[in-house]
Protein backbone atom coordinates (compact mmCIF):
# COMPACT_ATOMS: atom_id res chain seq x y z
CA UNK A 1 0.00 0.00 0.00
CA UNK A 2 1.00 3.61 -0.46
CA UNK A 3 0.83 6.47 2.04
CA UNK A 4 -2.17 8.79 2.06
CA UNK A 5 -1.52 12.27 0.61
CA UNK A 6 0.26 14.84 2.78
CA UNK A 7 2.00 18.18 2.41
CA UNK A 8 5.74 18.32 2.79
CA UNK A 9 8.25 20.82 4.07
CA UNK A 10 12.00 20.43 4.36
CA UNK A 11 13.14 23.41 6.45
CA UNK A 12 16.76 24.54 6.49
CA UNK A 13 16.59 25.94 10.02
CA UNK A 14 15.27 24.67 13.37
CA UNK A 15 13.06 27.72 14.00
CA UNK A 16 11.34 27.28 10.64
CA UNK A 17 10.79 23.59 11.34
CA UNK A 18 9.29 24.35 14.76
CA UNK A 19 6.95 26.92 13.24
CA UNK A 20 5.84 24.50 10.52
CA UNK A 21 5.13 21.89 13.16
CA UNK A 22 3.19 24.34 15.35
CA UNK A 23 1.17 25.59 12.36
CA UNK A 24 -0.52 22.23 11.65
CA UNK A 25 -1.91 20.08 14.45
CA UNK A 26 -1.80 17.12 12.04
CA UNK A 27 1.90 17.57 11.24
CA UNK A 28 4.56 15.01 12.08
CA UNK A 29 8.36 15.04 12.14
CA UNK A 30 10.20 12.88 9.59
CA UNK A 31 13.68 11.82 10.72
CA UNK A 32 15.21 8.58 9.38
CA UNK A 33 11.77 7.37 8.30
CA UNK A 34 12.56 3.77 9.24
CA UNK A 35 9.58 3.53 11.58
CA UNK A 36 7.35 6.31 10.25
CA UNK A 37 7.34 5.43 6.54
CA UNK A 38 6.17 1.83 7.11
CA UNK A 39 3.37 3.20 9.32
CA UNK A 40 2.37 5.60 6.54
CA UNK A 41 2.53 2.93 3.85
CA UNK A 42 0.37 0.63 5.97
CA UNK A 43 -1.92 3.62 6.58
CA UNK A 44 -1.62 3.22 10.32
CA UNK A 45 -0.76 6.94 10.35
CA UNK A 46 -1.91 9.69 8.01
CA UNK A 47 -0.39 13.03 9.02
CA UNK A 48 -1.50 16.08 7.02
CA UNK A 49 2.05 17.50 6.85
CA UNK A 50 5.48 15.95 7.16
CA UNK A 51 8.23 18.20 8.49
CA UNK A 52 11.43 16.63 7.17
CA UNK A 53 14.21 17.56 9.63
CA UNK A 54 17.02 15.96 7.60
CA UNK A 55 18.24 19.26 6.17
CA UNK A 56 18.55 20.99 9.57
CA UNK A 57 22.12 22.08 10.33
CA UNK A 58 24.27 21.02 13.31
CA UNK A 59 22.12 18.16 14.58
CA UNK A 60 24.20 15.17 13.48
CA UNK A 61 26.74 15.30 16.31
CA UNK A 62 27.91 12.37 18.43
CA UNK A 63 29.93 13.87 21.29
CA UNK A 64 31.31 12.51 24.51
CA UNK A 65 31.93 14.70 27.56
CA UNK A 66 32.02 14.38 31.34
CA UNK A 67 28.30 13.68 31.53
CA UNK A 68 28.29 10.92 28.92
CA UNK A 69 27.33 10.57 25.27
CA UNK A 70 25.38 13.32 23.53
CA UNK A 71 23.64 12.32 20.33
CA UNK A 72 22.07 14.89 18.01
CA UNK A 73 18.69 14.30 16.36
CA UNK A 74 20.25 13.56 12.97
CA UNK A 75 23.03 11.23 14.13
CA UNK A 76 22.35 7.91 12.42
CA UNK A 77 22.35 4.72 14.44
CA UNK A 78 25.23 3.47 12.25
CA UNK A 79 27.40 6.46 13.14
CA UNK A 80 26.82 6.10 16.87
CA UNK A 81 27.50 2.36 16.67
CA UNK A 82 30.71 3.05 14.76
CA UNK A 83 32.09 5.51 17.33
CA UNK A 84 34.97 4.26 19.48
CA UNK A 85 34.43 7.15 21.90
CA UNK A 86 30.86 6.01 22.50
CA UNK A 87 31.99 2.42 23.09
CA UNK A 88 34.52 3.63 25.66
CA UNK A 89 32.27 6.08 27.52
CA UNK A 90 29.06 4.02 27.49
CA UNK A 91 29.57 0.50 26.12
CA UNK A 92 25.93 -0.40 26.79
CA UNK A 93 24.79 1.98 24.06
CA UNK A 94 27.04 0.26 21.51
CA UNK A 95 25.95 -3.21 22.66
CA UNK A 96 22.29 -2.26 22.30
CA UNK A 97 22.75 -0.55 18.94
CA UNK A 98 24.30 -3.63 17.42
CA UNK A 99 20.95 -5.37 18.08
CA UNK A 100 18.83 -2.67 16.41
CA UNK A 101 17.58 -3.88 13.02
CA UNK A 102 20.16 -4.38 10.26
CA UNK A 103 23.04 -2.24 9.07
CA UNK A 104 21.01 -0.87 6.15
CA UNK A 105 18.22 0.32 8.47
CA UNK A 106 20.79 1.81 10.88
CA UNK A 107 22.28 3.85 8.03
CA UNK A 108 19.10 5.97 7.95
CA UNK A 109 17.47 5.40 11.36
CA UNK A 110 18.35 7.93 14.04
CA UNK A 111 19.00 7.25 17.71
CA UNK A 112 16.76 10.12 18.78
CA UNK A 113 13.97 8.97 16.41
CA UNK A 114 14.01 5.56 18.04
CA UNK A 115 13.87 7.12 21.51
CA UNK A 116 10.82 9.28 20.79
CA UNK A 117 9.09 6.58 18.74
CA UNK A 118 8.70 4.96 22.18
CA UNK A 119 8.40 1.35 21.11
CA UNK A 120 8.51 -0.92 24.17
CA UNK A 121 10.12 -3.55 21.93
CA UNK A 122 12.98 -1.23 20.96
CA UNK A 123 16.46 -1.38 22.45
CA UNK A 124 17.31 2.29 22.82
CA UNK A 125 14.36 3.56 24.90
CA UNK A 126 15.07 0.82 27.42
CA UNK A 127 18.77 1.64 27.54
CA UNK A 128 18.11 5.37 27.98
CA UNK A 129 15.73 4.58 30.85
CA UNK A 130 18.15 2.16 32.50
CA UNK A 131 20.99 4.67 32.32
CA UNK A 132 18.83 7.52 33.59
CA UNK A 133 19.43 9.60 30.48
CA UNK A 134 17.34 12.38 29.03
CA UNK A 135 16.10 13.97 25.82
CA UNK A 136 16.28 17.71 25.10
CA UNK A 137 13.39 19.08 23.09
CA UNK A 138 12.65 22.41 21.46
CA UNK A 139 9.40 24.11 20.49
CA UNK A 140 8.65 27.49 18.95
CA UNK A 141 8.27 28.83 22.49
CA UNK A 142 11.31 27.34 24.26
CA UNK A 143 13.28 24.27 25.24
CA UNK A 144 13.08 21.67 27.99
CA UNK A 145 14.83 18.47 29.03
CA UNK A 146 12.76 15.36 29.65
CA UNK A 147 14.32 12.74 31.95
CA UNK A 148 13.95 9.21 30.55
CA UNK A 149 11.81 8.24 33.54
CA UNK A 150 9.20 10.78 32.35
CA UNK A 151 9.55 10.16 28.60
CA UNK A 152 7.34 7.09 28.12
CA UNK A 153 3.59 7.40 28.59
CA UNK A 154 2.44 4.16 26.96
CA UNK A 155 2.96 1.91 23.96
CA UNK A 156 4.35 4.04 21.10
CA UNK A 157 3.54 7.15 23.13
CA UNK A 158 6.15 9.59 24.35
CA UNK A 159 5.48 12.68 26.46
CA UNK A 160 6.73 15.05 23.76
CA UNK A 161 4.12 17.64 22.84
CA UNK A 162 2.92 17.77 19.26
CA UNK A 163 4.88 20.94 18.49
CA UNK A 164 8.20 19.75 19.95
CA UNK A 165 11.27 18.45 18.15
CA UNK A 166 13.75 16.33 20.09
CA UNK A 167 17.16 17.82 19.39
CA UNK A 168 19.54 15.77 21.51
CA UNK A 169 19.72 12.72 23.75
CA UNK A 170 22.10 12.28 26.66
CA UNK A 171 23.22 8.78 27.66
CA UNK A 172 25.19 9.03 30.94
CA UNK A 173 28.60 7.37 30.82
CA UNK A 174 29.72 4.28 32.67
CA UNK A 175 30.37 5.06 36.36
CA UNK A 176 33.24 3.81 38.53
CA UNK A 177 32.86 0.15 39.45
CA UNK A 178 30.11 -0.40 36.89
CA UNK A 179 29.82 -3.15 34.32
CA UNK A 180 27.16 -3.64 31.66
CA UNK A 181 25.59 -6.37 29.57
CA UNK A 182 22.90 -6.70 26.94
CA UNK A 183 21.06 -9.90 26.05
CA UNK A 184 18.12 -10.48 23.75
CA UNK A 185 16.33 -13.29 21.97
CA UNK A 186 14.58 -12.67 18.67
CA UNK A 187 13.09 -14.91 16.01
CA UNK A 188 15.73 -13.88 13.49
CA UNK A 189 18.89 -11.82 13.78
CA UNK A 190 17.88 -8.18 13.34
CA UNK A 191 14.21 -8.66 14.27
CA UNK A 192 12.59 -6.95 17.20
CA UNK A 193 13.31 -9.04 20.29
CA UNK A 194 10.80 -11.34 22.00
CA UNK A 195 12.51 -10.23 25.19
CA UNK A 196 15.55 -8.08 25.77
CA UNK A 197 17.44 -7.42 28.98
CA UNK A 198 20.20 -4.96 29.82
CA UNK A 199 22.02 -4.87 33.15
CA UNK A 200 24.18 -2.36 34.98
CA UNK A 201 25.98 -3.87 37.97
CA UNK A 202 28.20 -1.82 40.28
CA UNK A 203 30.71 -3.57 42.49
CA UNK A 204 32.58 -2.25 45.50
CA UNK A 205 35.50 -4.51 46.18
CA UNK A 206 34.10 -8.02 45.90
CA UNK A 207 30.54 -6.94 46.75
CA UNK A 208 27.64 -6.04 44.55
CA UNK A 209 26.67 -2.50 45.51
CA UNK A 210 23.94 -2.01 42.94
CA UNK A 211 22.20 -3.98 40.19
CA UNK A 212 19.65 -2.39 37.89
CA UNK A 213 18.12 -4.24 34.98
CA UNK A 214 16.08 -2.93 32.05
CA UNK A 215 13.50 -4.95 30.12
CA UNK A 216 12.00 -4.60 26.65
CA UNK A 217 9.09 -6.40 24.98
CA UNK A 218 7.76 -7.67 28.32
CA UNK A 219 5.80 -4.58 29.45
CA UNK A 220 3.92 -1.72 27.77
CA UNK A 221 6.79 0.69 28.31
CA UNK A 222 10.54 0.20 28.80
CA UNK A 223 10.82 -0.99 32.39
CA UNK A 224 13.73 -0.80 34.81
CA UNK A 225 13.84 -2.83 38.01
CA UNK A 226 16.32 -2.41 40.84
CA UNK A 227 17.46 -5.93 41.73
CA UNK A 228 20.14 -4.97 44.23
CA UNK A 229 18.30 -6.41 47.24
CA UNK A 230 17.96 -9.87 45.68
CA UNK A 231 21.69 -10.07 45.09
CA UNK A 232 22.92 -8.43 48.27
CA UNK A 233 20.66 -10.46 50.60
CA UNK A 234 21.69 -13.68 48.97
CA UNK A 235 25.37 -12.89 49.29
CA UNK A 236 24.93 -11.91 52.96
CA UNK A 237 23.30 -15.27 53.68
CA UNK A 238 26.18 -17.31 52.35
CA UNK A 239 27.58 -19.59 55.06
CA UNK A 240 31.21 -18.61 55.00
CA UNK A 241 33.10 -15.40 54.54
CA UNK A 242 34.97 -17.06 51.72
CA UNK A 243 31.76 -17.86 49.85
CA UNK A 244 30.56 -14.30 50.45
CA UNK A 245 33.66 -12.94 48.84
CA UNK A 246 33.53 -15.24 45.86
CA UNK A 247 33.32 -13.26 42.66
CA UNK A 248 30.46 -15.16 41.12
CA UNK A 249 26.74 -14.66 41.53
CA UNK A 250 25.06 -17.86 42.71
CA UNK A 251 22.18 -19.57 40.93
CA UNK A 252 19.89 -18.73 43.87
CA UNK A 253 20.80 -15.07 43.69
CA UNK A 254 20.11 -14.64 40.00
CA UNK A 255 16.88 -16.63 40.11
CA UNK A 256 15.66 -14.61 43.08
CA UNK A 257 16.49 -11.49 41.09
CA UNK A 258 14.56 -12.71 38.04
CA UNK A 259 11.48 -13.55 40.15
CA UNK A 260 11.65 -10.08 41.68
CA UNK A 261 11.84 -8.57 38.20
CA UNK A 262 8.82 -10.56 36.99
CA UNK A 263 6.69 -8.90 39.67
CA UNK A 264 7.21 -5.63 37.77
CA UNK A 265 6.68 -7.02 34.27
CA UNK A 266 3.71 -8.10 32.22
CA UNK A 267 4.87 -10.46 29.46
CA UNK A 268 2.10 -10.66 26.85
CA UNK A 269 0.93 -13.33 24.42
CA UNK A 270 1.22 -12.56 20.75
CA UNK A 271 1.82 -14.21 17.41
CA UNK A 272 5.52 -14.61 18.13
CA UNK A 273 5.61 -15.94 21.68
CA UNK A 274 3.35 -16.94 24.54
CA UNK A 275 3.47 -15.02 27.80
CA UNK A 276 4.84 -18.11 29.58
CA UNK A 277 7.70 -18.32 27.09
CA UNK A 278 8.43 -14.62 27.49
CA UNK A 279 8.48 -15.04 31.28
CA UNK A 280 10.94 -17.88 30.86
CA UNK A 281 13.10 -15.62 28.68
CA UNK A 282 13.02 -13.03 31.47
CA UNK A 283 14.39 -15.65 33.89
CA UNK A 284 17.11 -16.90 31.60
CA UNK A 285 18.20 -13.55 30.19
CA UNK A 286 18.16 -11.86 33.61
CA UNK A 287 20.59 -14.49 34.86
CA UNK A 288 22.84 -14.15 31.82
CA UNK A 289 22.80 -10.38 31.87
CA UNK A 290 23.45 -10.06 35.61
CA UNK A 291 26.38 -12.46 35.44
CA UNK A 292 27.84 -10.84 32.34
CA UNK A 293 27.50 -7.33 33.79
CA UNK A 294 29.02 -8.49 37.06
CA UNK A 295 31.98 -10.05 35.22
CA UNK A 296 32.32 -6.89 33.17
CA UNK A 297 32.42 -4.76 36.34
CA UNK A 298 35.04 -7.03 37.90
CA UNK A 299 37.21 -6.98 34.80
CA UNK A 300 36.96 -3.22 34.36
CA UNK A 301 37.62 -2.52 38.03
CA UNK A 302 40.36 -5.12 38.30
CA UNK A 303 38.58 -6.18 41.52
CA UNK A 304 39.65 -9.41 43.25
CA UNK A 305 37.79 -12.44 41.91
CA UNK B 1 -9.15 15.76 -6.30
CA UNK B 2 -5.86 17.16 -7.44
CA UNK B 3 -2.91 16.45 -5.24
CA UNK B 4 -0.18 19.01 -4.65
CA UNK B 5 2.95 18.28 -6.71
CA UNK B 6 6.57 19.07 -5.89
CA UNK B 7 9.42 19.81 -8.26
CA UNK B 8 12.30 17.59 -7.31
CA UNK B 9 15.77 17.15 -8.74
CA UNK B 10 17.02 13.61 -8.21
CA UNK B 11 20.66 12.74 -8.83
CA UNK B 12 20.75 9.09 -9.83
CA UNK B 13 23.84 7.28 -11.08
CA UNK B 14 25.51 10.63 -11.60
CA UNK B 15 22.70 12.08 -13.76
CA UNK B 16 20.32 14.82 -12.60
CA UNK B 17 16.62 14.23 -13.33
CA UNK B 18 13.84 16.76 -12.77
CA UNK B 19 10.51 15.24 -11.80
CA UNK B 20 7.15 16.52 -10.50
CA UNK B 21 5.82 14.19 -7.86
CA UNK B 22 3.37 14.17 -4.97
CA UNK B 23 5.06 14.26 -1.55
CA UNK B 24 3.99 10.71 -0.86
CA UNK B 25 5.90 9.30 -3.86
CA UNK B 26 8.29 6.71 -2.45
CA UNK B 27 11.82 6.93 -3.80
CA UNK B 28 11.43 3.34 -5.04
CA UNK B 29 8.39 4.36 -7.09
CA UNK B 30 10.03 7.54 -8.36
CA UNK B 31 12.98 5.51 -9.61
CA UNK B 32 10.77 2.92 -11.30
CA UNK B 33 7.80 4.96 -12.53
CA UNK B 34 9.12 8.45 -13.03
CA UNK B 35 12.65 7.60 -14.18
CA UNK B 36 12.00 4.18 -15.71
CA UNK B 37 14.86 2.64 -13.72
CA UNK B 38 13.10 -0.65 -13.08
CA UNK B 39 16.23 -2.42 -11.88
CA UNK B 40 15.26 -1.45 -8.32
CA UNK B 41 12.68 -4.03 -7.20
CA UNK B 42 9.88 -3.61 -4.71
CA UNK B 43 8.88 -6.51 -2.50
CA UNK B 44 7.45 -5.79 0.92
CA UNK B 45 7.39 -2.00 0.84
CA UNK B 46 8.03 -1.76 4.55
CA UNK B 47 11.75 -2.14 4.89
CA UNK B 48 11.99 -5.85 5.59
CA UNK B 49 12.98 -7.64 2.36
CA UNK B 50 15.78 -5.43 1.05
CA UNK B 51 14.92 -5.81 -2.67
CA UNK B 52 14.60 -2.03 -3.06
CA UNK B 53 18.00 -1.23 -1.50
CA UNK B 54 19.89 1.58 -3.26
CA UNK B 55 22.95 3.56 -2.22
CA UNK B 56 22.25 6.99 -0.78
CA UNK B 57 25.51 8.93 -0.75
CA UNK B 58 27.27 5.60 -0.99
CA UNK B 59 25.46 3.91 1.91
CA UNK B 60 22.80 1.24 1.47
CA UNK B 61 19.27 2.43 2.24
CA UNK B 62 15.76 1.13 1.60
CA UNK B 63 14.30 3.19 -1.24
CA UNK B 64 10.80 2.15 -0.09
CA UNK B 65 11.42 3.97 3.20
CA UNK B 66 12.40 7.30 1.65
CA UNK B 67 10.27 9.84 -0.14
CA UNK B 68 11.54 11.25 -3.43
CA UNK B 69 11.05 14.77 -2.01
CA UNK B 70 13.52 13.89 0.78
CA UNK B 71 16.20 12.71 -1.63
CA UNK B 72 16.99 16.14 -3.10
CA UNK B 73 20.33 16.61 -1.37
CA UNK B 74 21.56 13.06 -1.96
CA UNK B 75 23.34 11.19 -4.67
CA UNK B 76 21.54 7.92 -5.43
CA UNK B 77 23.10 4.81 -6.95
CA UNK B 78 20.83 2.07 -8.26
CA UNK B 79 21.73 -1.34 -9.64
CA UNK B 80 21.87 0.28 -13.10
CA UNK B 81 24.79 2.35 -11.80
CA UNK B 82 26.90 -0.65 -10.83
CA UNK B 83 28.08 -1.55 -14.33
CA UNK B 84 31.52 -0.36 -15.42
CA UNK B 85 31.84 2.72 -17.62
CA UNK B 86 32.30 0.54 -20.70
CA UNK B 87 28.98 -1.17 -20.02
CA UNK B 88 30.41 -4.49 -18.80
CA UNK B 89 29.37 -5.97 -15.47
CA UNK B 90 30.83 -4.52 -12.28
CA UNK B 91 32.72 -6.88 -9.93
CA UNK B 92 29.72 -7.76 -7.75
CA UNK B 93 27.49 -8.38 -10.76
CA UNK B 94 30.22 -10.46 -12.40
CA UNK B 95 30.65 -12.52 -9.24
CA UNK B 96 26.90 -13.24 -9.03
CA UNK B 97 26.93 -14.43 -12.63
CA UNK B 98 29.96 -16.67 -12.03
CA UNK B 99 28.79 -18.14 -8.71
CA UNK B 100 25.09 -18.56 -9.52
CA UNK B 101 24.27 -15.99 -6.88
CA UNK B 102 20.80 -15.55 -8.36
CA UNK B 103 17.92 -17.67 -9.53
CA UNK B 104 14.72 -15.70 -10.15
CA UNK B 105 16.64 -12.45 -9.67
CA UNK B 106 13.94 -10.62 -7.74
CA UNK B 107 16.14 -9.98 -4.70
CA UNK B 108 19.34 -9.45 -6.68
CA UNK B 109 19.39 -5.65 -7.15
CA UNK B 110 19.21 -5.20 -3.36
CA UNK B 111 22.04 -7.64 -2.80
CA UNK B 112 24.24 -6.06 -5.47
CA UNK B 113 23.92 -2.55 -4.03
CA UNK B 114 24.34 -3.73 -0.44
CA UNK B 115 27.43 -5.79 -1.24
CA UNK B 116 28.99 -3.03 -3.34
CA UNK B 117 28.93 -0.73 -0.32
CA UNK B 118 29.86 -3.55 2.05
CA UNK B 119 33.03 -4.35 0.12
CA UNK B 120 34.02 -0.70 0.09
CA UNK B 121 34.03 -0.89 3.91
CA UNK B 122 35.39 -4.46 4.21
CA UNK B 123 37.46 -5.20 1.13
CA UNK B 124 38.61 -8.64 2.38
CA UNK B 125 35.61 -10.21 4.12
CA UNK B 126 35.66 -13.60 5.79
CA UNK B 127 32.71 -15.89 5.18
CA UNK B 128 31.17 -14.67 8.44
CA UNK B 129 31.64 -11.06 7.35
CA UNK B 130 29.97 -11.92 4.06
CA UNK B 131 26.98 -13.42 5.84
CA UNK B 132 26.70 -10.39 8.11
CA UNK B 133 26.92 -8.12 5.06
CA UNK B 134 23.81 -9.66 3.49
CA UNK B 135 21.94 -10.39 6.73
CA UNK B 136 19.35 -7.67 6.06
CA UNK B 137 18.35 -8.94 2.62
CA UNK B 138 15.93 -11.76 1.91
CA UNK B 139 16.24 -14.27 -0.91
CA UNK B 140 13.59 -16.97 -1.36
CA UNK B 141 15.44 -18.97 -4.01
CA UNK B 142 19.13 -19.50 -3.46
CA UNK B 143 19.45 -20.50 0.17
CA UNK B 144 22.18 -17.83 0.39
CA UNK B 145 25.13 -20.21 -0.03
CA UNK B 146 25.94 -18.99 -3.52
CA UNK B 147 25.30 -15.40 -2.49
CA UNK B 148 27.95 -15.70 0.22
CA UNK B 149 30.31 -17.24 -2.35
CA UNK B 150 29.53 -14.33 -4.66
CA UNK B 151 30.55 -11.85 -1.96
CA UNK B 152 33.91 -13.55 -1.55
CA UNK B 153 34.37 -13.79 -5.31
CA UNK B 154 33.47 -10.14 -5.77
CA UNK B 155 36.11 -9.19 -3.21
CA UNK B 156 38.67 -11.10 -5.26
CA UNK B 157 37.52 -9.50 -8.50
CA UNK B 158 37.73 -6.03 -6.97
CA UNK B 159 41.31 -6.77 -6.01
CA UNK B 160 42.06 -7.88 -9.52
CA UNK B 161 42.64 -11.37 -8.17
CA UNK B 162 41.97 -14.08 -10.68
CA UNK B 163 41.39 -16.93 -8.27
CA UNK B 164 39.79 -19.67 -10.39
CA UNK B 165 37.47 -21.46 -7.97
CA UNK B 166 34.84 -19.19 -6.48
CA UNK B 167 34.40 -19.01 -2.73
CA UNK B 168 37.71 -20.54 -1.75
CA UNK B 169 39.91 -17.46 -1.52
CA UNK B 170 42.30 -17.08 1.37
CA UNK B 171 41.93 -13.91 3.32
CA UNK B 172 45.35 -12.66 2.25
CA UNK B 173 45.96 -11.71 -1.35
C1 LIG C 1 13.07 -3.84 8.93
C2 LIG C 1 13.19 -2.99 10.17
C3 LIG C 1 13.63 -3.57 11.35
C4 LIG C 1 13.75 -2.81 12.51
N1 LIG C 1 14.20 -3.41 13.65
C5 LIG C 1 14.33 -2.68 14.77
C6 LIG C 1 14.82 -3.27 15.98
O1 LIG C 1 15.15 -4.46 16.03
N2 LIG C 1 14.90 -2.49 17.08
C7 LIG C 1 14.55 -1.16 17.05
O2 LIG C 1 14.65 -0.50 18.07
N3 LIG C 1 14.12 -0.57 15.94
C8 LIG C 1 14.00 -1.29 14.79
N4 LIG C 1 13.54 -0.67 13.67
C9 LIG C 1 13.16 0.78 13.73
C10 LIG C 1 14.36 1.70 13.54
O3 LIG C 1 15.27 1.58 14.62
C11 LIG C 1 13.95 3.18 13.40
O4 LIG C 1 15.04 3.80 12.78
C12 LIG C 1 13.63 3.94 14.64
O5 LIG C 1 12.62 3.30 15.39
C13 LIG C 1 13.07 5.34 14.33
O6 LIG C 1 14.06 6.23 13.96
P1 LIG C 1 13.92 7.09 12.65
O7 LIG C 1 14.99 8.10 12.67
O8 LIG C 1 13.86 6.20 11.47
O9 LIG C 1 12.52 7.86 12.91
P2 LIG C 1 11.26 8.11 11.99
O10 LIG C 1 10.75 6.85 11.41
O11 LIG C 1 11.52 9.22 11.06
O12 LIG C 1 10.24 8.64 13.10
C14 LIG C 1 9.68 7.79 14.08
C15 LIG C 1 8.71 8.59 14.95
O13 LIG C 1 9.42 9.50 15.77
C16 LIG C 1 9.10 10.85 15.46
N5 LIG C 1 10.38 11.58 15.46
C17 LIG C 1 11.55 11.16 14.91
N6 LIG C 1 12.54 12.02 15.19
C18 LIG C 1 11.99 13.02 15.93
C19 LIG C 1 12.52 14.19 16.55
N7 LIG C 1 13.82 14.51 16.45
N8 LIG C 1 11.68 14.98 17.25
C20 LIG C 1 10.36 14.64 17.37
N9 LIG C 1 9.80 13.54 16.82
C21 LIG C 1 10.62 12.74 16.11
C22 LIG C 1 8.40 10.82 14.12
O14 LIG C 1 7.47 11.86 14.00
C23 LIG C 1 7.73 9.46 14.16
O15 LIG C 1 6.55 9.52 14.88
C24 LIG C 1 13.41 -1.41 12.49
C25 LIG C 1 12.97 -0.82 11.30
C26 LIG C 1 12.85 -1.60 10.14
C27 LIG C 1 12.37 -0.95 8.89
S1 LIG D 1 10.55 -3.29 -0.81
FE1 LIG D 1 11.84 -2.05 0.37
S2 LIG D 1 12.58 -3.43 1.83
FE2 LIG D 1 11.12 -4.65 0.79
S1 LIG E 1 16.96 -15.22 -6.52
FE1 LIG E 1 14.84 -15.41 -6.27
S2 LIG E 1 14.53 -14.29 -4.42
FE2 LIG E 1 16.65 -14.34 -4.55
Amino acid sequence: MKPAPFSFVRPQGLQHALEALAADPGAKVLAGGQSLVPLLSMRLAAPSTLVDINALPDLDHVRVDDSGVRVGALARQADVLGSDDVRRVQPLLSLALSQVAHATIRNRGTVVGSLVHADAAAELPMVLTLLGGSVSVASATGTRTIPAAELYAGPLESTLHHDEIAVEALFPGLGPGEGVAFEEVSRRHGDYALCGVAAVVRVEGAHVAEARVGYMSVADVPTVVDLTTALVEEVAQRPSRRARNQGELSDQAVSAAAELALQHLDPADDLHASSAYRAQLVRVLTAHALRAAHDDAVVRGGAPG
Amino acid sequence: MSEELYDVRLTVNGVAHDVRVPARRLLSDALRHDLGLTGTHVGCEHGVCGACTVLVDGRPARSCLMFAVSAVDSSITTVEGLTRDDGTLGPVQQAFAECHGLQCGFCTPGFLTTITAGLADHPSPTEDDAREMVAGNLCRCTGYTNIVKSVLRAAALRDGRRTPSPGTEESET
Side-chain angles (χ1 to χ4, degrees), chain A residues 21 27-39 45 50-51 53-54 56 59 72-77 96-97 99-102 105-106 108-119 121-125 135-138 156 158 160-168 184 186 188-193 216, chain B residues 44 46-49 62 64-65 136:
Chain A
L21 203 52
K28 244 187 172 325
V29 171
L30 174 68
Q34 306 298 291
S35 291
L36 184 57
V37 180
L39 290 179
L50 278 195
V51 179
I53 62 171
N54 287 279
L56 299 184
L59 281 179
L74 290 176
R76 309 291 159 177
Q77 292 158 0
L97 270 167
Q99 304 289 330
V100 175
H102 295 286
I105 306 297
R106 295 193 296 258
R108 298 288 309 163
T110 63
V111 166
V112 170
S114 173
L115 292 173
V116 301
H117 189 57
D119 192 332
E123 287 79 2
L124 302 179
V135 169
S136 308
V137 305
L156 295 178
S158 80
L160 259 71
H161 301 145
H162 157 264
D163 61 347
E164 288 178 324
I165 293 179
V167 290
E168 187 183 82
E184 73 173 47
S186 55
R188 285 168 302 252
H189 170 63
D191 280 9
Y192 282 100
M216 54 191 253
Chain B
C44 66
H46 53 262
V48 176
C49 74
R62 304 293 199 231
C64 73
L65 298 187

Side-chain angles (χ1 to χ4, degrees), chain A residues 134-206:
Chain A
S134 60
V135 169
S136 308
V137 305
S139 70
T141 52
T143 59
R144 65 182 178 125
T145 297
I146 310 175
E150 293 162 24
L151 187 56
Y152 299 109
L156 295 178
E157 194 187 340
S158 80
T159 54
L160 259 71
H161 301 145
H162 157 264
D163 61 347
E164 288 178 324
I165 293 179
V167 290
E168 187 183 82
L170 168 65
F171 293 86
L174 197 67
E178 285 181 348
V180 293
F182 193 95
E183 301 271 343
E184 73 173 47
V185 169
S186 55
R187 286 267 170 213
R188 285 168 302 252
H189 170 63
D191 280 9
Y192 282 100
L194 300 177
C195 173
V197 177
V200 179
V201 170
R202 183 163 59 83
V203 295
E204 279 171 10

Side-chain angles (χ1 to χ4, degrees), chain B residues 101-108 111 138-142 147:
Chain B
L102 67 151
Q103 291 181 21
C104 80
F106 192 85
C107 66
T108 312
F111 277 94
L138 297 180
C139 173
R140 298 290 80 172
C141 300
T142 63
I147 293 181

